[in-house]
Amino acid sequence: SGAVLVGVGTYRSLPQLPCALTGIADLAAELGGPGGLFAPESVHVVADPESGTEVLDRVAAAAERCPDTLLFYFVGHGMRDNDGQLCLALPWSLDKKSEAGRTALPVERVMAAMSRLRARNRGRVGADPGGCSETTANSAPRCWSRRRFCAG
């Protein structure tokens, strides 16, 4: 069993979210600490990833080591692409629908990567890093405030 916790707090084109980085560090300590759900070496933190590939590679590597249960958790801005699909904003993401699919990580890619995993139990959780709800004409609410957990 294990977890991949992704936090993006340092953005080039979007408002900063420093609480995203402290939030995933705190969660990692709880999940991998005494009485936590996972062994400390099975909790993987990805802070301010440079690319979607970095996130997807970490999910794939964790799945190889954690074939029973895998939790994916993201804290950061969310945005919509031209097709209205939710994307996870990365540090270099541009706040434009036309650029979201290229500069952000489409949630569908994370879900697809997790659906190919050997893990019998896959959890996906999205969290609001502090009550953000600001929107623009070109984006979804700036912080993904939907919380969901799916198993199986």
Side-chain angles (χ1 to χ4, degrees):
S1 298
V4 176
L5 313 176
V6 180
V8 183
T10 308
Y11 289 95
R12 302 336 183 263
S13 301
L14 295 165
Q16 304 304 300
L17 295 174
C19 58
L21 302 178
T22 56
I24 61 165
D26 291 345
L27 182 59
E30 289 296 319
L31 290 174
L37 297 174
F38 306 111
E41 64 274 6
S42 297
V43 178
H44 308 280
V45 174
V46 183
D48 287 336
E50 287 298 316
S51 69
T53 301
E54 181 180 350
V55 174
L56 296 172
D57 286 350
R58 188 65 63 98
V59 169
E64 289 299 316
R65 291 186 302 273
C66 308
D68 183 6
T69 300
L70 182 62
L71 171 73
F72 177 82
Y73 184 88
F74 175 82
V75 182
H77 290 300
M79 52 196 329
R80 301 273 178 189
D81 65 13
N82 281 333
D83 296 325
Q85 298 299 313
L86 182 63
C87 297
L88 307 177
L90 302 173
W92 293 95
S93 294
L94 300 175
D95 190 17
K96 296 179 183 177
K97 277 187 177 184
S98 62
E99 298 293 329
R102 185 177 68 80
T103 64
L105 176 59
V107 170
E108 288 181 353
R109 291 188 62 199
V110 176
M111 301 302 175
M114 290 187 73
S115 70
R116 291 189 298 266
L117 303 178
R118 298 179 320 171
R120 290 190 311 257
N121 301 302
R122 295 177 298 272
R124 300 174 293 272
V125 180
D128 179 346
C132 302
S133 60
E134 179 182 346
T135 60
T136 68
N138 293 331
S139 68
R142 293 268 184 137
C143 300
W144 184 19
S145 59
R146 208 173 310 162
R147 186 177 291 269
R148 101 179 174 181
F149 180 80
C150 303

